[in-house]
Amino acid sequence: MTDKYAVIGNPISHSKSPQIHQMFAEQTEQDISYEAILAPLNGFVATIDRLREEGYKGCSVTVPFKFEAYKLATPKKNKSFPARFAQSANTLIFDVNKSLKINNTDGDGLIRDIRKNWAFKLKGKRVLLMGAGGAALGAFLPLIKSNASIIVVNRSVENAKIKTDNFVLFPDIPKSYLKKSKYTDNAKKEPQVIGYQSLLGHKFDLIINATSSGLSDEMPPLPPTIFAPNALAYDMMYGRETPFMKFARDQGAQVADGLGMLVEQAAEAFYLWRGVRPDTAAVIAALRNSA
């Protein structure tokens, strides 16, 4: 019997997730269906309830429902640590006993893309994370785990401090999550948060744009001297060159978009659902060739 999954968002017609999971299923010989579902802005919970009643095994969650999805799971044990830290979820698992488990695979997808597909070693590198929204919070914890040196920059320093201080104040960071990290015994290291005006004189090996600036074709106020030699500029957006990507290219940095992150986070969700990890390189290549 075919197991049913879906991605839920608003809007959703642009989503590549059905195509990605179809390729995963064919590659791993899994009997599943995966569709895109448009949920009303005030009807996310009702949509999830309907899918569970109809026997779906799980779903992906995208904009604007990730924070709402986080609130669905109780008790606490049904919320993964990355989801609890980011206070958002992008992967829901519907168990046979009708319980609901949530996870956030965005951060792990980002790190896997940077390390595996871009062959970029994070340990000891100076990383600038732009933004303090859900995308940035999803990336923050895996970056800490990777032993990179992180500075968060945001237009509102106060807002970013409130959110990143969740890491400092979090009472129960699992040591298993921070295994082999320099933060295993010192998991309360305070993150450094600054404003854009304080970036002059800094250089970074990796700059990650986790803001929505690309949606409005805006360029974050970065100084042209921000990139260290052989730096990687990573924009979580995909499908077009953003002003940040053009700026980085003009400064001689290597440039990456978020397509690999999209595929890698989907692969992590697929693994949680099916217990098998697909080959993401083949899927990324297929999507780039079809663009």
Side-chain angles (χ1 to χ4, degrees):
M1 183 177 177
T2 301
D3 290 335
K4 296 185 291 185
Y5 299 88
V7 58
I8 302 171
N10 187 328
I12 199 62
S13 60
H14 66 287
S15 176
K16 294 184 182 295
S17 292
Q19 184 181 358
I20 291 169
H21 283 276
Q22 181 61 38
M23 285 190 276
F24 286 168
E26 292 173 358
Q27 181 190 115
T28 59
E29 299 183 340
Q30 295 288 304
D31 185 11
I32 72 166
S33 66
Y34 188 106
E35 62 188 298
I37 295 177
L38 178 70
L41 292 177
N42 62 351
F44 174 71
V45 174
T47 301
I48 294 298
D49 289 342
R50 175 176 65 82
L51 296 185
R52 295 176 72 182
E53 286 299 318
E54 292 177 1
Y56 282 69
K57 299 294 185 180
C59 68
S60 307
V61 180
T62 189
V63 177
F65 300 122
K66 291 184 180 182
F67 291 105
E68 194 171 353
Y70 173 78
K71 300 174 183 178
L72 290 177
T74 54
K76 174 181 166 182
K77 67 178 182 179
N78 286 354
K79 301 180 180 184
S80 74
F81 177 65
R84 285 190 286 126
F85 177 82
Q87 298 286 291
S88 69
N90 73 336
T91 303
L92 307 184
I93 305 166
F94 307 150
D95 278 0
V96 290
N97 61 359
K98 297 292 185 180
S99 70
L100 186 151
K101 296 180 180 179
I102 68 168
N103 210 314
N104 188 316
T105 65
D106 283 334
D108 286 339
L110 169 70
I111 299 303
R112 190 178 291 270
D113 185 37
I114 290 172
R115 279 177 165 164
K116 188 180 76 168
N117 301 319
W118 292 97
F120 189 90
K121 294 181 180 179
L122 284 160
K123 185 177 181 180
K125 295 293 174 53
R126 284 177 53 83
V127 178
L128 181 67
L129 178 62
M130 293 194 291
L137 286 179
F140 182 75
L141 204 58
L143 285 170
I144 290 286
K145 185 181 177 183
S146 73
N147 287 328
S149 175
I150 306 161
I151 291 180
V152 177
V153 64
N154 199 52
R155 293 183 186 273
S156 170
V157 175
E158 182 179 357
N159 184 48
K161 276 185 174 292
I162 290 171
K163 293 182 178 179
T164 56
D165 277 352
N166 283 345
F167 180 74
V168 180
L169 301 174
F170 218 98
D172 58 348
I173 298 172
K175 293 201 171 181
S176 60
Y177 185 82
L178 293 169
K179 187 178 181 182
K180 296 183 179 179
S181 168
K182 67 181 179 181
Y183 294 109
T184 300
D185 297 318
N186 185 23
K188 306 294 185 180
K189 185 175 178 67
E190 185 172 356
Q192 186 176 356
V193 181
I194 62 176
Y196 282 94
Q197 71 277 5
S198 300
L199 286 175
L200 198 61
H202 286 277
K203 289 185 181 292
F204 295 92
D205 304 297
L206 171 64
I207 300 181
I208 301 171
N209 185 13
T211 74
S212 58
S213 60
L215 291 173
S216 53
D217 284 329
E218 294 180 3
M219 174 61 207
L222 298 174
T225 55
I226 197 75
F227 296 101
N230 303 312
L232 175 64
Y234 194 104
D235 200 312
M236 289 188 181
M237 284 195 64
Y238 63 91
R240 58 174 172 151
E241 183 166 89
T242 65
F244 167 68
M245 294 168 68
K246 183 180 185 304
F247 170 80
R249 204 182 304 279
D250 290 344
Q251 307 309 316
Q254 185 181 17
V255 175
D257 67 4
L259 181 64
M261 175 182 173
L262 174 70
V263 175
E264 294 292 350
Q265 64 81 24
E268 188 66 24
F270 192 88
Y271 175 77
L272 292 172
W273 291 328
R274 310 302 298 178
V276 59
R277 193 176 296 279
D279 173 18
T280 54
V283 174
I284 293 170
L287 290 173
R288 291 207 186 278
N289 290 335
S290 65

